[in-house]
Amino acid sequence: TAASAGGRSTPSGRLTPNLTNTDNESQEGFFSSDLDGSASGRRRRPLRKTTSPSSEQLRALQLKEGSNTICFRVNSEWQGTQLLTANIYLFSPLAKLVISDVDGTITKSDVLGQMLPRVGVDWSHLGVTALHQCIAVNGYQMVYLTARGIGMATTTKEYLASIKQGEDMLPPAPVLLSPTRLIESLTREVIRRNPEEFKIECLQQVRSLWPEERNPFYAGFGNNSHDETAYLAAGVPPARIFVINPQGEIRRGGGTYCWASYPRLLELAQEVFPPLEELAAVADADGGATALSDVAEPVEDEFKSFNFWRIPPPLLEADEAPAEKEPP
């Protein structure tokens, strides 16, 4: 972790892990690049706050693929030593991301989904854990996206980790929250009613981590038109945007609600979310790749059997020509 990698606290209580530069000087400010001084007493330039560490800083962490835990140690005169932990995820360049909203998508409604779990009431959609677990087992990476403020990060993660339906639980995955304060987040979602502003910007930042020719987004789950707008703007394929209402009915992007639900979608999971390892097996049989990382970009959606069999077959010439009347 960053804390155990060696560091010291500034008088303000901020943890600044030590990094060694080319001049063998101890440089403060692991997540700030506007420092020019060390312990020598030289005056420092003002800090520039950022939520995006540089590539050099990330390489210094020596991340492993998957989840990595980072710990910040904060020393204060009033509260003593406090620890703050978070996770940094390292994904494969070929990772396929499935985005899921939280309030109204995993829970049955936006408001009650935040209140009832606090008093021990399970307010999650039936079958959501089994479906998400199946998606993760098939090789896709779940990502939870919510417009909740960053101050609710701990309660949100604890809630997602506590959902259990039978033997199934939600797979562990990144939880992306709004970096704004609680009041600003509520104003944007309840008063201005445009939570897609944050979600679009957040997903576009995630998209920018991949080359332009490789779209990491495979599917998205939401509960209203705002989520659908955000997913479309980020590049999620429209055919795999699923919108669920409080009754548990699911529609695809741009469609109407039908009898489909999470349990019904689970029955079709192997077709909608085919195991990614099968791509490696097919490529190996055709002459070469032996691992998923060696497989080229999958076939475009319109050429897959899932969409092919949904398209009505074209009319034949005999069907288009008017039928000739038989002579009496």
Side-chain angles (χ1 to χ4, degrees):
T1 65
S4 61
R8 63 176 180 273
S9 298
T10 63
S12 62
R14 178 172 39 251
L15 174 70
T16 54
N18 296 335
L19 296 179
T20 303
N21 58 23
T22 55
D23 296 328
N24 294 323
E25 293 180 339
S26 177
Q27 183 177 3
E28 294 183 345
F30 188 76
F31 289 109
S32 299
S33 57
D34 286 348
L35 300 177
D36 68 346
S38 62
S40 59
R42 288 182 294 174
R43 185 176 180 180
R44 300 185 305 170
R45 292 194 296 267
L47 289 174
R48 181 185 63 182
K49 295 182 180 180
T50 176
T51 57
S52 302
S54 66
S55 299
E56 292 76 13
Q57 293 167 339
L58 291 174
R59 278 194 292 268
L61 294 176
Q62 299 181 355
L63 303 175
K64 60 180 179 64
E65 188 167 334
S67 176
N68 300 263
T69 301
I70 183 171
C71 180
F72 295 90
R73 187 192 308 272
V74 180
N75 294 324
S76 104
E77 297 180 358
W78 303 101
Q79 296 180 322
T81 301
Q82 301 291 324
L83 297 179
L84 176 63
T85 60
N87 297 98
I88 299 179
Y89 284 79
L90 178 63
F91 290 156
S92 163
L94 294 179
K96 287 296 182 182
L97 309 183
V98 176
I99 313 299
S100 177
D101 178 43
V102 177
D103 297 315
T105 304
I106 293 177
T107 64
K108 295 180 181 179
S109 61
D110 289 324
V111 179
L112 293 180
Q114 297 189 40
M115 299 174 56
L116 293 182
R118 297 176 180 270
V119 294
V121 178
D122 181 15
W123 201 245
S124 59
H125 279 293
L126 179 65
V128 63
T129 55
L131 176 62
H132 285 16
Q133 192 66 248
C134 179
I135 293 174
V137 169
N138 283 358
Y140 301 88
Q141 175 62 58
M142 295 296 305
V143 176
Y144 303 118
L145 177 65
T146 175
R148 296 183 183 186
I150 193 67
M152 300 183 66
T154 300
T155 56
T156 301
K157 293 180 180 179
E158 290 177 349
Y159 169 67
L160 294 175
S162 68
I163 299 177
K164 185 175 182 180
Q165 298 176 350
E167 298 298 325
D168 298 311
M169 302 182 69
L170 291 176
V175 181
L176 306 180
L177 303 98
S178 172
T180 57
R181 298 179 182 273
L182 176 61
I183 299 301
E184 184 176 348
S185 298
L186 289 176
T187 301
R188 179 179 58 237
E189 187 161 1
V190 178
I191 300 178
R192 301 205 308 265
R193 303 189 67 82
N194 51 1
E196 71 275 8
E197 289 182 353
F198 156 71
K199 294 183 178 181
I200 291 175
E201 182 181 0
C202 179
L203 291 177
Q204 288 179 342
Q205 289 184 10
V206 174
R207 175 66 180 88
S208 67
L209 301 177
W210 273 262
E212 184 177 352
E213 65 275 7
R214 188 180 297 278
N215 183 7
F217 298 127
Y218 185 83
F221 292 89
N223 71 306
N224 51 44
S225 59
H226 302 295
D227 294 331
E228 186 176 350
T229 300
Y231 295 159
L232 288 173
V236 179
R240 289 195 294 270
I241 295 178
F242 303 96
V243 181
I244 186 169
N245 64 13
Q247 290 73 41
E249 300 168 329
I250 294 179
R251 67 173 173 87
R252 294 175 60 184
T256 57
Y257 288 102
C258 60
W259 55 270
S261 60
Y262 281 135
R264 175 56 177 162
L265 192 56
L266 178 62
E267 298 177 7
L268 303 174
Q270 301 303 318
E271 288 73 30
V272 183
F273 303 95
L276 295 181
E277 292 296 337
E278 290 184 359
L279 299 176
V282 171
D284 185 40
D286 290 341
T290 58
L292 183 59
S293 59
D294 299 326
V295 180
E297 186 73 8
V299 180
E300 295 295 332
D301 290 336
E302 55 265 31
F303 300 109
K304 291 184 177 179
S305 59
F306 173 70
N307 285 324
F308 176 81
W309 293 110
R310 296 184 66 258
I311 301 175
L315 293 176
L316 302 177
E317 294 181 2
D319 298 327
E320 295 177 348
E324 298 182 0
K325 297 183 178 180
E326 296 182 359

